[in-house]
Amino acid sequence: MDVLVCIKRVPMSGGRFILTDDEQDIETKRLGFTISPHEECAVEEAVRLVETHGGSVTVLTLGVPEAAEQIREQMAIGADRGIVLETDGAEWDPQATAGAIVAAVNADDSSFDLVMFGNESADASGYQVGIRVAHALAMPAVTGVKAMSVDEAGVVHCERPSGSGKESFSLPLPAVVTVKEGLNLPRYPSVPGRIRAKKKPIETYTPIRPDSRLRKTKLVVPPTQGKQVQVLGKGADAAPSVVEMFKQIGVI
């Protein structure tokens, strides 16, 4: 089976986020980049499916040319080829992003049996692209998947949490599935895997960005919660205050 996994290059979330002066984008000069944990699980699951059933894994991304770095990382764990839809770095809205992915799928020589996404990207968290792609390709879709398998009859079986239970779905291939972190434990790229990844093909295309039907007003960085320190005293004289504080927080 042939699997396509769509990923997005996003800033690492460990650092401090600073906005550009026009409040339209995140200043990325001093940030590292990665993909979302959901997408890491999507690539891992695609590789496992191909290891079981045969076929190939293609990883696609829409973004700057440097996004090939993230493609190579996924090739190092087993993806076979990559596609970069190169842009100038400006954010594409979900409708335009889905349109570019659909055009790439239709133009590709492969007939993908399964198209996989992370449930949402780690930056915009739009939850829309996978569903839009499924609708445009006339494929059945299920979102928020935490367990999945494909049987010999060409049916993908998926489960997702629902309240205190779970929901089960069975979709005929080809289909679109969006997955969540926890679906599996992604493997770490090995040194031999990284060497092999350098020899795998990455195709590049430049999609035409349509006029956006959405308008971004501005981005806002949420305020951080300040921390306070209260000095209760020094030496033995602080003991009564410490006991009183323990009583207030319920320790004694």
Side-chain angles (χ1 to χ4, degrees), residues 2 8 25 61 69 96 231 244 250:
D2 292 328
K8 182 181 181 183
D25 291 292
T61 189
E69 299 172 6
V231 179
E244 184 62 30

Side-chain angles (χ1 to χ4, degrees), residues 38-72:
H38 304 307
E39 293 167 352
E40 291 178 347
C41 290
V43 176
E44 173 66 30
E45 193 66 21
V47 171
R48 292 186 185 187
L49 288 172
V50 168
E51 288 174 344
T52 300
H53 300 281
S56 66
V57 177
T58 300
V59 181
L60 178 149
T61 189
L62 174 80
V64 293
E66 291 79 8
E69 299 172 6
Q70 281 64 53
I71 294 285
R72 293 287 182 199

Side-chain angles (χ1 to χ4, degrees), residues 4-5 9 16 23 50-51 71 75 98 113 137 169 179 181 185 198 209 214 221 224:
L4 174 68
V5 186
R9 173 182 167 98
R16 179 188 175 204
E23 298 182 317
V50 168
E51 288 174 344
I71 294 285
M75 287 178 164
D113 301 292
L137 294 175
F169 301 86
V179 307
E181 183 181 9
L185 181 62
K198 293 180 180 179
R209 181 178 183 177
L214 302 174
V221 177
T224 57

Side-chain angles (χ1 to χ4, degrees), residues 10 34-42 118 120-122 179-182 184 186:
V10 296
T34 184
I35 64 174
S36 99
H38 304 307
E39 293 167 352
E40 291 178 347
C41 290
E120 75 270 7
S121 62
V179 307
K180 299 186 73 173
E181 183 181 9
N184 52 48

Side-chain angles (χ1 to χ4, degrees), residues 2-249:
D2 292 328
V3 185
L4 174 68
V5 186
C6 299
I7 66 173
K8 182 181 181 183
R9 173 182 167 98
V10 296
M12 290 182 177
S13 58
R16 179 188 175 204
F17 285 94
I18 299 174
L19 302 182
T20 55
D21 293 338
D22 60 3
E23 298 182 317
Q24 294 295 302
D25 291 292
I26 297 172
E27 180 58 69
T28 60
K29 291 181 180 179
R30 296 177 178 83
L31 294 177
F33 290 90
T34 184
I35 64 174
S36 99
H38 304 307
E39 293 167 352
E40 291 178 347
C41 290
V43 176
E44 173 66 30
E45 193 66 21
V47 171
R48 292 186 185 187
L49 288 172
V50 168
E51 288 174 344
T52 300
H53 300 281
S56 66
V57 177
T58 300
V59 181
L60 178 149
T61 189
L62 174 80
V64 293
E66 291 79 8
E69 299 172 6
Q70 281 64 53
I71 294 285
R72 293 287 182 199
E73 285 289 314
Q74 308 318 304
M75 287 178 164
I77 70 167
D80 299 287
R81 69 185 182 109
I83 300 174
V84 179
L85 306 178
E86 292 187 354
T87 71
D88 60 1
E91 184 75 11
W92 285 38
D93 64 57
Q95 187 175 37
T97 300
I101 293 172
V102 169
V105 170
N106 289 332
D108 198 86
D109 293 334
S110 300
S111 297
F112 296 112
D113 301 292
L114 188 61
V115 181
M116 300 183 67
F117 295 82
N119 200 55
E120 75 270 7
S121 62
D123 54 355
S125 297
Y127 298 86
Q128 298 183 39
V129 176
I131 294 298
R132 288 181 179 273
V133 169
H135 178 74
L137 294 175
M139 291 183 181
V142 62
T143 61
V145 170
K146 293 291 288 284
M148 63 181 292
S149 63
V150 177
D151 64 25
E152 296 300 328
V155 177
V156 56
H157 303 280
C158 304
E159 293 182 356
R160 68 182 183 190
S162 177
S164 59
K166 61 184 179 181
E167 298 175 333
S168 299
F169 301 86
S170 295
L171 308 178
L173 298 178
V176 174
V177 176
T178 78
V179 307
K180 299 186 73 173
E181 183 181 9
L183 171 68
N184 52 48
L185 181 62
R187 70 194 75 183
Y188 189 80
S190 64
V191 173
R194 293 183 185 276
I195 294 173
R196 288 193 296 268
K198 293 180 180 179
K199 301 178 182 179
K200 295 179 180 179
I202 294 182
E203 303 162 27
T204 59
Y205 303 97
T206 305
I208 298 175
R209 181 178 183 177
D211 293 335
S212 178
R213 297 170 59 185
L214 302 174
R215 182 171 63 89
K216 183 195 300 182
T217 303
K218 66 176 181 178
L219 298 178
V220 177
V221 177
T224 57
Q225 184 176 1
K227 297 181 180 179
Q228 295 182 346
V229 176
Q230 180 180 355
V231 179
L232 299 179
K234 294 183 179 181
D237 294 338
S241 298
V242 172
V243 172
E244 184 62 30
M245 180 61 68
F246 283 164
K247 291 179 179 179
Q248 292 178 15
I249 64 177

